[in-house]
Amino acid sequence: QRQLVESGGGLVQPGGSLTLSCAPAGFALDFHRIGWFRQAPGKEREKVSCISISDGSTYYEDSVKGRFTISRDYVKNTVDLQMNALKPEDTAVYYCAVDLSITIGTMIPCSPKYDVWGQGTQVTVST
């Protein structure tokens, strides 16, 4: 069974950093597109960042540009979201998701649909 498992969430002070990891189970990350999303209480889920594994193209939502970095860690076999300069408005449950269709060299990091979602990890930015 194909699954995604997120880890790395927690409580951090404003200005701090966290790294979220998204690990696959039952499939390999190669040639897929991975997205990180978040949902804050009372708000709709929003796309934060995407990566196309085959070509390394990336996308960032405007509010996180320059602060967040999405990357593949080949040693851990994860897709990580490095989050720096965190703000209280970054507080949310963060989810990763994968589009299981094969995508090679399109330079389009985000997918219009994602097939498998993780269970989410809570990120709280507060004093």
Side-chain angles (χ1 to χ4, degrees):
Q1 185 176 358
R2 295 163 177 169
Q3 295 180 327
L4 290 171
V5 180
E6 301 102 334
S7 61
L11 172 64
V12 63
Q13 292 187 344
S17 298
L18 282 175
T19 300
L20 306 182
S21 293
C22 176
F27 67 99
L29 289 171
D30 305 281
F31 308 121
H32 296 310
R33 291 183 286 185
I34 310 296
W36 278 99
F37 298 78
R38 66 186 179 187
Q39 187 165 21
K43 295 187 176 181
E44 293 188 354
R45 184 175 63 199
E46 64 173 347
K47 181 167 53 185
V48 175
S49 182
C50 313
I51 186 168
S52 176
I53 298 297
S54 69
D55 55 43
S57 58
T58 58
Y59 159 86
Y60 298 96
E61 192 266 331
D62 285 346
S63 69
V64 308
K65 282 181 182 176
R67 301 188 297 123
F68 290 11
T69 303
I70 190 170
S71 63
R72 182 180 183 183
D73 187 314
Y74 286 87
V75 175
K76 298 189 302 179
N77 190 34
T78 59
V79 170
D80 293 346
L81 186 68
Q82 172 69 43
M83 306 186 295
N84 298 325
L86 283 162
K87 304 175 182 180
E89 51 263 42
D90 295 317
T91 295
V93 179
Y94 284 71
Y95 301 88
C96 65
V98 60
D99 173 5
L100 290 174
S101 59
I102 301 299
T103 303
I104 300 176
T106 66
M107 299 301 290
I108 301 175
C110 297
S111 172
K113 59 91 180 176
Y114 290 89
D115 303 296
V116 179
W117 292 77
Q119 82 287 353
T121 185
Q122 176 71 46
V123 172
T124 302
V125 185
S126 175
T127 55

